Amino acid sequence: MAFGFLLASVLAAVVVAYILTKFFREPEMPSLPQNPWWGEGEPQAEDTAIRPFTINIPDEDLEDLRLRLALPLRLTPPLEGANFTYGTNSDTLKHIVEYWRKEYHWKEREAKMNELQHFKTQIEGLDIHFVHARPQQTPSNVHEPIPLLLIHGWPGSFVEFLGILPLLTSPGEGSGRVFEVICPSLPGYGFSQAAAKPGLGLQETAQIFLKLMKRLGHSRFYVQGGDWGAGVATQLATLYPQHLRGVHLNMFRPQTTMGKVRQVLGAFLPSGTLMAKEEEGMLYPLLEHAKWLLRESGYFHIQATKPDTLGAALAQSPVGLASYLLEKFSTWTNGANVNKPDGGLLKGFPIALDALLDDICIYWFTNSITSSMRYYAENMSRERAAIDTSNIPSKVPAGLAAFPEEVLLAPRSLMAHKFHDIVTYTRPSAGGHFAAMEQPGILARDFRAFVEAVPFKQAEQGGGVYLDYSPY
Ligand SMILES: *[C@@H]1O[C@H](CO)[C@@H](O)[C@H](O)[C@H]1NC(C)=O
Ligand SMILES: *[C@@H]1O[C@H](CO)[C@@H](O)[C@H](O)[C@H]1NC(C)=O
């Protein structure tokens, strides 16, 4: 009996130890190839020149788009009363296509985009496009410009940041701080060249963007992002903490095993046990959230498995492309938009229709929808489990902004497993997944408040590496 009990205890201990080491062990830092070549063919000598770039869509491409948009629409009338619950409502789509045909003028929009300084430079065999927004002039009473890497997501582009850039490059109320902002296009998005070889995911992008920042003379900088931008920013904070002064995210979810276990446990424990009561709505009721995610994430499964199949259709038809992308803008800005006939897009939408079409046009003219969707497949492939860094914590000062309508969020206590130094955790009053486009003012203020808090907090703790405030 006693022996049986002993044996059972030992067995149980072995099982528990196995689970602990297998699932809770902090994995080793993955080692990525330091100089891969993502371009076509064999590696060549890198051309490290930084070349000015002007957006100038050729007339043939404009004419081609005009002809395609002018084709008779072959839309299926929406089901009665369905609104956006079956996907993009074709009556609404028709309306937007009509606007695109007659009232949207690409050349004017392009001229506005060209008011920013654009560049391209070759990194690991790919031409990487970026916007470089520098403060006009540094008034004598403000600090040195602070370098910031600002990263967009899907279905976004650098266009997401047109509204927020001027708020960052000019002194904010009070602080006088100005930022020198580098907004790259993710590889395979917009004007950044797509990889010709499989395997370019988040970690690889983090390395490419670090090389970009170093090439621009910044070896320590802030990084901000949502969506894939948050994914790349998190990888930077995990793989290259020594290069970051802080990481600020506007999309995040429990990604460590501990965080996920607590997320599930929290559904069964009394309210308030694992997180602040007012944070519970972000995750619970668990089943409702899971159902919502299942309903809204079909795109994710397709893009993570067969991006090229869908890509062929979307790259052929601007109307199809718009239908696909507009649905995401509608739902991710506010989940309740599926119950509106126009998906919220036509009346009181927080993003102007012109800005939505700017983004869609970028995907169209650069023919990058397929490569943009491949990014999902690259991040999800089975082979990548070996380089997954989800369970490696980061000590980089972190700022987390939980916008009320964001799709994926987590309470501070669950994020603390990943980010060991959460400096600010905020719940802005308005905004969803496209925070930079929807609420540029709120996001800029939140980011500034975070930057103000970083050196202050470090000073309180008696200094440390992050007290070193000037990167120059
Ligand atoms: C894929 O992306 C998610 C979301 O950013 C991230 O949590 C996960 O770690 C990524 N997977 C890999 C293998 O990098
Ligand atoms: C569709 O929108 C109408 C008008 O706003 C609303 O009355 C109805 O409940 C909505 N139905 C669905 C299924 O979303």
Side-chain angles (χ1 to χ4, degrees):
M1 171 69 194
F3 179 72
F5 182 72
L6 187 69
L7 190 67
S9 312
V10 169
L11 273 178
V14 168
V15 170
V16 167
Y18 174 78
I19 292 175
L20 285 178
T21 48
K22 177 134 175 72
F23 296 103
F24 290 85
R25 175 181 51 94
E26 189 180 313
E28 279 171 31
M29 230 20 125
S31 64
L32 301 173
Q34 295 196 346
N35 289 300
W37 183 263
W38 299 109
E40 283 171 24
E42 295 298 310
Q44 291 160 32
E46 189 114 288
D47 173 5
T48 57
I50 296 170
R51 293 163 280 132
F53 170 71
T54 306
I55 306 175
N56 185 11
I57 302 301
D59 288 344
E60 308 90 271
D61 293 7
L62 294 177
E63 181 58 11
D64 177 86
L65 173 61
R66 196 190 63 74
L67 289 174
R68 286 177 205 254
L69 281 179
L71 290 173
L73 294 178
R74 302 182 71 235
L75 298 173
T76 307
L79 292 173
E80 290 171 14
N83 302 337
F84 264 57
T85 55
Y86 281 68
T88 301
N89 184 294
S90 56
D91 285 344
T92 301
L93 183 60
K94 204 186 290 176
H95 193 97
I96 292 176
V97 170
E98 203 52 26
Y99 181 88
W100 197 358
R101 283 169 174 165
K102 301 209 173 104
E103 279 162 76
Y104 176 84
H105 303 292
W106 168 260
K107 277 292 162 187
E108 285 167 24
R109 306 299 297 176
E110 186 186 75
K112 266 194 94 59
M113 293 174 200
N114 280 329
E115 285 169 15
L116 294 162
Q117 287 185 295
H118 297 256
F119 299 88
K120 283 188 179 183
T121 189
Q122 191 186 48
I123 304 176
E124 299 183 358
L126 298 181
D127 254 357
I128 299 297
H129 159 257
F130 62 98
V131 170
H132 198 168
R134 281 171 278 208
Q136 282 300 25
Q137 61 194 139
T138 311
S140 52
N141 62 338
V142 300
H143 308 255
E144 286 278 343
I146 302 172
L148 163 63
L149 175 66
L150 193 54
I151 315 176
H152 71 85
W154 188 92
S157 60
F158 71 92
V159 162
E160 285 183 48
F161 301 123
L162 296 183
I164 200 173
L165 285 176
L167 306 179
L168 295 170
T169 54
S170 56
E173 315 104 48
S175 85
R177 289 192 205 287
V178 286
F179 296 90
E180 173 185 343
V181 193
I182 290 94
C183 292
S185 298
L186 292 169
Y189 284 65
F191 298 102
S192 277
Q193 194 181 342
K197 302 175 166 64
L200 202 172
L202 291 177
Q203 290 84 342
E204 293 76 12
T205 308
Q207 176 168 284
I208 291 173
F209 286 177
L210 176 62
K211 288 182 181 178
L212 171 65
M213 292 304 277
K214 285 184 175 169
R215 197 171 287 179
L216 294 171
H218 301 305
S219 58
R220 287 195 74 226
F221 49 91
Y222 281 92
V223 61
Q224 201 291 326
D227 198 85
W228 282 135
V232 177
T234 302
Q235 295 297 343
L236 280 163
T238 309
L239 298 170
Y240 311 106
Q242 69 277 23
H243 291 290
L244 291 197
R245 299 166 74 181
V247 53
H248 185 275
L249 309 177
N250 59 286
M251 186 187 90
F252 43 88
R253 59 189 183 91
Q255 46 180 299
T256 59
T257 307
M258 263 313 271
K260 289 180 196 161
V261 166
R262 287 179 60 168
Q263 174 175 10
V264 175
L265 278 183
F268 302 101
L269 295 173
S271 164
T273 315
L274 289 181
M275 63 200 74
K277 275 197 169 117
E278 61 277 11
E279 291 180 326
E280 288 171 344
M282 289 179 192
L283 303 175
Y284 312 117
L286 200 57
L287 198 60
E288 289 307 308
H289 277 256
K291 277 198 238 166
W292 191 86
L293 275 183
L294 201 58
R295 192 184 76 199
E296 297 300 334
S297 61
Y299 82 100
F300 193 103
H301 199 149
I302 294 182
Q303 295 179 190
T305 52
K306 310 287 175 191
D308 290 24
T309 306
L310 174 59
L314 301 182
Q316 199 66 22
S317 158
V319 176
L321 179 67
S323 174
Y324 195 61
L325 300 190
L326 286 169
E327 182 221 292
K328 301 301 171 223
F329 279 107
S330 161
T331 313
W332 296 354
T333 296
N334 190 323
N337 280 342
V338 295
N339 297 317
K340 295 179 187 162
D342 68 349
L345 293 165
L346 299 178
K347 234 175 61 213
F349 199 62
I351 307 170
L353 197 47
D354 277 345
L356 296 178
L357 289 172
D358 288 348
D359 188 64
I360 293 167
C361 278
I362 296 282
Y363 278 85
W364 178 262
F365 288 131
T366 59
N367 199 0
S368 58
I369 188 63
T370 303
S371 47
S372 78
M373 297 194 299
R374 283 181 187 159
Y375 209 65
Y376 290 74
E378 299 303 1
N379 183 48
M380 298 304 145
S381 71
R382 233 181 122 56
E383 304 83 67
R384 293 191 77 78
I387 58 165
D388 190 15
T389 59
S390 301
N391 276 316
I392 305 178
S394 170
K395 295 187 183 66
V396 170
L400 304 173
F403 282 80
E405 306 301 337
E406 174 54 69
V407 180
L408 293 176
L409 286 176
R412 178 182 188 131
S413 56
L414 270 56
M415 292 309 296
H417 294 289
K418 174 73 187 180
F419 293 105
H420 286 187
D421 186 12
I422 299 177
V423 177
T424 59
Y425 183 100
T426 55
R427 317 247 348 235
S429 56
H433 186 72
F434 303 96
M437 290 181 106
E438 300 172 47
Q439 299 291 345
I442 296 182
L443 182 61
R445 272 198 298 283
D446 198 276
F447 177 71
R448 281 178 178 282
F450 163 64
V451 170
E452 295 301 319
V454 170
F456 179 62
K457 180 158 184 281
Q458 297 298 327
E460 263 185 339
Q461 290 176 346
V465 58
Y466 301 111
L467 195 59
D468 152 33
Y469 204 56
S470 168
Y472 301 100

